[in-house]
Amino acid sequence: VAEQILGLDNVGRGVQLGPNQAPNIYKLLTEACEILQMEPPALYIRQNPNPNAYTLAISGRQPLIVLHTSLVELLTEKELQAV
């Protein structure tokens, strides 16, 4: 239950990135996934002054990655891709 609440919180408070929403950041994800030969997880960005990133995987649902806006502002594109 806690995982489901956390998942809904991220979807509700974050912005899902994609080819039309912050395409430069989304491209970093798709490039990394091609190298790793995996499907890209959902990618969200949340307004937060504390630099952080985390993943969440709930059984039966698409995994997701969450980036805080302050982390995106601090890192170069290569550093962000490594996260």
Side-chain angles (χ1 to χ4, degrees), residues 27 33 49 58 69 76 80-81:
K27 183 179 178 193
C33 288
I58 299 172
T69 52
T76 66
L80 193 58
Q81 190 175 44

Side-chain angles (χ1 to χ4, degrees), residues 4 7-8 56-63:
Q4 292 174 337
L8 289 173
L56 181 64
I58 299 172
S59 181
R61 297 189 182 199
Q62 181 184 23

Side-chain angles (χ1 to χ4, degrees), residues 1-81:
V1 173
E3 289 176 339
Q4 292 174 337
I5 292 171
L6 185 57
L8 289 173
D9 182 55
N10 283 304
V11 171
R13 294 185 185 195
V15 175
Q16 187 170 6
L17 305 185
N20 298 317
Q21 187 77 355
N24 56 328
I25 297 173
Y26 185 73
K27 183 179 178 193
L28 297 174
L29 173 67
T30 58
E31 287 174 354
C33 288
E34 284 178 24
I35 292 167
L36 297 171
Q37 299 177 353
M38 61 178 279
E39 290 296 315
L43 179 61
Y44 288 85
I45 190 163
R46 286 183 69 165
Q47 180 72 37
N48 195 306
N50 301 310
N52 196 12
Y54 53 92
T55 61
L56 181 64
I58 299 172
S59 181
R61 297 189 182 199
Q62 181 184 23
L64 58 94
I65 298 173
V66 178
L67 303 173
H68 287 180
T69 52
S70 55
L71 185 70
V72 173
E73 293 169 0
L74 284 173
L75 301 181
T76 66
E77 284 192 351
K78 289 295 182 188
E79 291 170 330
L80 193 58
Q81 190 175 44

